[in-house]
Amino acid sequence: MNKTWSAYQKAIKRGLYCGRKVKKRLLAELDGMAAPLLAENPAPTREELETALGTPEAVSASLMEGVSQQERATYRRNRLLLRIGLVVFVLALVIFTLWLVYMYSIPIEVVETTYVYYD
């Protein structure tokens, strides 16, 4: 594999909105589609890849046609829940840190002491 093919694959992978297992299956399909091209030309340019297979956006859209609506909805829901969880965690961490600073900050008092000596 060369860098051009890896970059092309990565661009397609970014356009796949599905779970990890389905994404691996779709990328295996992509490898099968590109096998004849890569066998003929082991180091194709980006233009050759786009001419033979299509733009990364078009390829990822065509691969996503095989993914069920339920899988897409599950993926979107899980991503949303993950993002909400991360936001809640960060907010809780910030609030906890502010609480610690408030509770353990010791105010400094300046006390003037006068000493009186008796003889």
Side-chain angles (χ1 to χ4, degrees):
M1 300 292 163
N2 64 3
K3 290 182 181 181
T4 308
W5 172 246
S6 297
Y8 186 77
Q9 258 187 333
K10 188 179 265 188
I12 291 172
K13 190 175 181 180
R14 272 183 257 143
L16 299 177
Y17 299 107
C18 53
R20 189 176 298 140
K21 290 179 183 178
V22 176
K23 197 175 285 190
K24 282 185 180 182
R25 180 180 54 83
L26 293 176
L27 290 174
E29 283 181 31
L30 176 67
D31 286 339
M33 290 178 358
L37 174 68
L38 294 174
E40 179 183 312
N41 184 3
T45 63
R46 180 73 176 226
E47 292 78 24
E48 290 172 345
L49 287 171
E50 288 183 0
T51 302
L53 299 173
T55 63
E57 295 82 16
V59 173
S60 61
S62 68
L63 288 173
M64 284 298 292
E65 288 174 0
V67 178
S68 69
Q69 288 292 74
Q70 182 182 4
E71 177 68 32
R72 291 181 192 191
T74 303
Y75 178 75
R76 280 193 301 263
R77 182 179 51 94
N78 288 345
R79 274 183 69 119
L80 179 66
L81 289 176
L82 178 66
R83 287 182 181 179
I84 289 172
L86 285 173
V87 168
V88 168
F89 176 74
V90 168
L91 283 175
L93 190 63
V94 167
I95 290 170
F96 181 70
T97 303
L98 291 175
W99 178 76
L100 281 177
V101 167
Y102 175 75
M103 292 302 291
Y104 291 105
S105 62
I106 300 171
I108 300 174
E109 288 184 31
V110 177
V111 178
E112 193 173 311
T113 306
T114 306
Y115 295 103
V116 178
Y117 295 103
Y118 292 105
D119 288 332

